[in-house]
Amino acid sequence: MVAIESSGTRGRRRSFDMDEAVETAMKLFHARGYDAVGVAELGAELGIKPPSFYAAFGSKAGLFERALQRYAAGEANIFARAQADGGGVVEVIERTLLLAARLYPERNGVAGCLVLDGARNSADPEARALTAALRKASVSAICAFIAGEEPERAGALAEFVMIAMMGMSAAARDGADETALTAFAEMAARAFRRELAAEG
Amino acid sequence: MVAIESSGTRGRRRSFDMDEAVETAMKLFHARGYDAVGVAELGAELGIKPPSFYAAFGSKAGLFERALQRYAAGEANIFARAQADGGGVVEVIERTLLLAARLYPERNGVAGCLVLDGARNSADPEARALTAALRKASVSAICAFIAGEEPERAGALAEFVMIAMMGMSAAARDGADETALTAFAEMAARAFRRELAAEG
DNA sequence: GAGAAAATGTAGTGACCGCTATATAAATTC
DNA sequence: GAATTTATATAGCGGTCACTACATTTTCTC
């Protein structure tokens, strides 16, 4: 018999698509937060039963980690996108803030940032640690970038940007629309520009 | 028999102090969020068993509502405190932001604002609605105050303050200390001052 | 004291939590 | 085909969730 589709690995083939499952889980976690999405619901939504779930992802936190990786690697990595378009510190930070204002408002039940708010108030230390690590990496990247022009105040300025993003994410999850967030982002961007210009 | 302490109402007297119980519940909800604090833990911490709990508060959300009222009526009502000290819009808003930076950092396991983050990601719509109502009242109060000097842009400016507070609360819950929050608050206050001064 | 009213303690409700033991089905290599 | 490997389905684990039925104790009014 000729194998129609040989995968090279033996054993029964997975009956569901991993990427698709992680994508679905990502949306669910993003929409309602880590704790509010149960394994039973994930299994039902993904079309897989508990044993397959745990064979594939190890645990609920394991799937959350994959969802976070997918999130951070995609278009939700706002600072990376803003940085990719080039320009100086002021331009990139302004683009970062405005992009957040455009991406955070609710769309299909999803609002804010998964990294900033996905595990907020979670009772699971593992889930909190996963998002915390990504936040730390994010603020470090922003800090390093700013340090290229302003090494002295890079830390405080990066913190300013991060806290502003946290505010926008929280506000978006509380229902703020793009207009409101953009108004905030523009004020924050002006503030950043002026802080950088002062005694620079 | 002479009644040693007649309460005027008949029936067995409550064996615990209501205010004390609400205070304890407030701290627990504030520290870990609404969903992460169970009725069993509340009962154990408050020293009351389920039937007394439900007789006194009606439900877990009922106790949360009392905790929120206590919180909003106390020293955590930052804007009210800043406003009470008098001064113009710029002074009051600056005081508000700086007071938040001083109050939000972790102290005894409690960080950030109960109204802003106490029910974040909660699966209970009632708990979310309770905090949402207080947020709405807060931003309305700030807006009305700003409108006294700047009726045109009061809405956007109040939103700016609110979103900045949300950012500080979230950052505090993620571990930001007073130094970091104060740096942010000062930048936000300068931004507010300049926005108000521009074409005012 | 009798009766009513309010709070209490004991015990347990059904539902959901994340997770797993066990057996079976489907794919491989030999 | 036999052995191995992987994924599947069925069923259920102990634990916690918010909440309650029921009987008892305490305190009131009369």
Side-chain angles (χ1 to χ4, degrees):
Chain A
M1 269 303 191
V2 175
I4 302 289
E5 181 190 3
S6 176
S7 63
T9 61
R10 63 187 184 176
R12 186 169 172 172
R13 291 199 195 95
R14 205 168 260 127
S15 68
F16 64 94
D17 185 85
M18 283 281 274
D19 278 356
E20 217 173 287
V22 173
E23 171 82 17
T24 302
M26 183 185 82
K27 287 178 184 168
L28 284 171
F29 285 135
H30 196 171
R32 306 210 303 276
Y34 181 77
D35 285 17
V37 181
V39 170
E41 181 183 5
L42 285 165
E45 208 72 36
L46 274 48
I48 64 182
K49 307 238 152 93
S52 300
F53 180 95
Y54 286 94
F57 307 113
S59 67
K60 182 187 174 186
L63 174 55
F64 185 54
E65 183 172 13
R66 294 209 187 208
L68 282 171
Q69 286 167 354
R70 185 185 187 88
Y71 184 78
E75 62 174 12
N77 194 331
I78 294 178
F79 174 65
R81 285 173 65 186
Q83 202 175 9
D85 288 354
V89 164
V90 168
E91 290 81 10
V92 169
I93 296 302
E94 178 172 29
R95 236 181 277 136
T96 299
L97 292 165
L98 289 173
L99 192 49
R102 214 170 68 218
L103 286 183
Y104 285 173
E106 189 268 338
R107 197 149 52 216
N108 298 122
V110 173
C113 173
L114 179 62
V115 171
L116 298 181
D117 282 315
R120 184 149 325 272
N121 283 342
S122 170
D124 184 348
E126 191 175 352
R128 294 198 307 264
L130 288 168
T131 57
L134 288 179
R135 281 193 298 273
K136 193 177 172 186
S138 236
V139 75
S140 289
I142 297 174
C143 183
F145 175 68
I146 297 177
E149 285 186 22
E150 194 70 23
E152 206 73 24
R153 293 176 295 160
L157 289 168
E159 282 272 350
F160 175 82
V161 175
M162 196 65 177
I163 297 176
M165 303 278 284
M166 286 179 169
M168 286 194 282
S169 177
R173 289 176 84 81
D174 288 340
D177 61 15
E178 185 174 337
T179 303
L181 290 190
T182 298
F184 176 88
E186 285 171 349
M187 292 194 213
R190 277 194 291 271
F192 185 88
R193 183 190 304 269
R194 284 158 172 159
E195 291 292 333
L196 203 70
E199 56 167 331
Chain B
M1 269 302 189
V2 175
I4 302 291
E5 180 188 5
S6 177
S7 62
T9 60
R10 63 187 184 177
R12 186 167 170 173
R13 286 201 272 267
R14 206 167 260 127
S15 67
F16 64 94
D17 186 86
M18 284 282 274
D19 278 357
E20 217 171 289
V22 173
E23 172 81 16
T24 302
M26 183 185 82
K27 287 178 184 168
L28 284 170
F29 285 136
H30 196 170
R32 305 209 305 275
Y34 181 77
D35 284 20
V37 181
V39 170
E41 181 182 4
L42 285 166
E45 209 72 34
L46 273 50
I48 62 181
K49 306 235 154 94
S52 301
F53 180 95
Y54 286 95
F57 308 112
S59 66
K60 182 186 172 186
L63 174 55
F64 185 55
E65 182 172 13
R66 294 212 188 205
L68 282 172
Q69 287 167 354
R70 186 184 186 88
Y71 184 79
E75 63 174 12
N77 196 332
I78 295 178
F79 174 65
R81 285 174 62 186
Q83 203 175 9
D85 287 353
V89 165
V90 167
E91 289 80 11
V92 169
I93 296 300
E94 178 172 28
R95 236 181 279 136
T96 300
L97 292 164
L98 289 173
L99 192 49
R102 213 171 67 217
L103 286 183
Y104 285 174
E106 188 268 338
R107 197 151 50 216
N108 297 121
V110 173
C113 172
L114 179 62
V115 172
L116 298 182
D117 282 316
R120 188 155 313 278
N121 284 341
S122 170
D124 185 346
E126 191 175 351
R128 295 199 307 266
L130 288 169
T131 57
L134 288 179
R135 282 193 297 274
K136 193 177 172 185
S138 235
V139 75
S140 290
I142 297 174
C143 184
F145 175 68
I146 297 176
E149 285 187 21
E150 194 70 25
E152 205 73 24
R153 292 176 295 161
L157 289 168
E159 283 271 350
F160 174 83
V161 174
M162 196 64 177
I163 297 176
M165 303 278 283
M166 285 180 171
M168 286 193 283
S169 177
R173 288 177 86 81
D174 289 339
D177 61 15
E178 185 173 338
T179 304
L181 290 190
T182 299
F184 176 87
E186 285 172 349
M187 292 194 212
R190 278 195 290 271
F192 185 87
R193 182 190 303 270
R194 283 158 173 160
E195 291 292 333
L196 204 69
E199 57 168 328

